Amino acid sequence: SNTATLHQIRRDQVTDTCRANSVSSRKRHVLTPNDLKHLVVDEDHEMIYCYVPKVACTNWKRVMMVLTGRGKYSDPMEIPANEAHVSSNLKTLNQYSIPEINHRLKNYMKFLFVREPFERLVSAYRNKFTQKYNTSFHKRYGTKIVRRQRKNATQEALRKGDDVKFEEFVAYLIDPHTQREEPFNEHWQTVYSLCHPCHIHYDLIGKYETLEEDSNYVLQLAGVGNYLKFPAYAKSTRTTDEMTTEFFQNISSLHQMQLYEVYKLDFLMFNYSVPSYLKLE
């Protein structure tokens, strides 16, 4: 079918990008259990889903809870969002022994969902730094970003970290110091680093832009399409391309270029073109 062909093209794009860029990483990265904590396992339907924050992952986790709940849930949207993110509600691949991990990687249907990298980044920024309720992010990251990126920061800003500007967030992401001191938080970590598509051969790569049809295709292949549909998405607060363009207006071309380098593999691997608003010299 056309859909199968489309997914084949997406898989080939990943393979080609991995091959073209493996020169830079001569030593083959061996996956550790820690690398597998984003891979949610559904034993009953032999599926593995690598979740990427800010790419409909709440709804996909809800769907996975319906699939693995053995009748405990029937409607994904009845599961509260915060419950979908309780780690004990879903089993991840890092909880298995090495032989069990290898068996599942070889035999289960594996899929992930991706999104235009900068749109995902702006979505993460808006959610984590502009919402007053996200105080844990303000404390953990906001205070650090303000301290490092803002000259003459007020005592209050240093204490609360709740007014981080997008320009400061970008400066923090491209700061070599950040890269050295800790891995990126999962909300802005690259898909490449979260899901390891060069080491794990995904059968299906869904896109946020075609979320519903791709999701229902996955459910159809899993054999559950007749009774389970992916929740229709109509979020008015959704981050759009226009919004992303606006956020990038104030980012210098040098910082844009450096940020593009950070996310370059995600752009190439999942076939997203360089955004037209970028001032890449």
Side-chain angles (χ1 to χ4, degrees), residues 53-225:
K54 306 314 299 171
V55 193
C57 92
T58 306
N59 278 354
W60 256 112
K61 283 180 174 180
R62 285 169 163 147
V63 168
M64 293 300 277
M65 282 172 72
V66 171
L67 290 173
T68 57
R70 305 206 169 173
K72 194 169 153 194
Y73 312 96
S74 58
D75 177 2
M77 293 320 276
E78 280 177 3
I79 302 171
N82 56 345
E83 206 175 308
H85 296 294
V86 173
S87 54
S88 57
N89 283 334
L90 290 165
K91 196 157 185 193
T92 46
L93 197 57
N94 58 337
Q95 296 167 0
Y96 293 84
S97 70
I98 304 287
E100 288 172 332
I101 289 172
N102 289 335
H103 170 77
R104 281 157 184 74
L105 283 177
K106 202 166 121 200
N107 298 293
Y108 284 17
M109 179 173 90
K110 298 170 294 298
F111 67 99
L112 79 162
F113 275 76
V114 299
R115 183 178 186 177
E116 201 280 339
F118 285 169
E119 195 183 288
R120 176 176 166 243
L121 191 65
V122 168
S123 176
Y125 166 77
R126 289 178 64 217
N127 178 249
K128 299 302 167 197
F129 295 106
T130 69
Q131 304 290 344
K132 289 291 171 231
Y133 60 80
N134 264 322
T135 46
S136 62
F137 266 82
H138 303 158
K139 283 261 182 289
R140 174 144 189 228
Y141 295 99
T143 52
K144 188 184 291 179
I145 294 171
V146 169
R147 188 174 68 242
R148 213 184 282 167
Q149 307 301 338
R150 190 178 301 176
K151 292 185 173 64
N152 315 320
T154 64
Q155 282 309 307
E156 189 183 19
L158 289 165
R159 193 180 77 249
K160 284 188 171 170
D162 64 353
D163 64 344
V164 170
K165 296 185 185 68
F166 186 64
E167 298 87 285
E168 294 170 328
F169 178 52
V170 168
Y172 162 80
L173 293 174
I174 58 180
D175 184 349
H177 189 78
T178 306
Q179 307 266 359
R180 277 196 307 273
E181 83 176 352
E182 58 179 4
F184 275 8
N185 176 277
E186 60 175 23
H187 289 83
W188 48 85
Q189 180 60 281
T190 60
V191 177
Y192 170 76
S193 307
L194 290 175
C195 296
H196 313 284
C198 290
H199 305 288
I200 294 172
H201 181 80
Y202 288 93
D203 302 289
L204 297 161
I205 297 159
K207 292 203 158 188
Y208 192 72
E209 295 76 18
T210 47
L211 179 62
E212 259 179 85
E213 58 247 59
D214 288 349
S215 298
N216 288 321
Y217 181 62
V218 171
L219 295 173
Q220 186 194 320
L221 288 181
V224 298

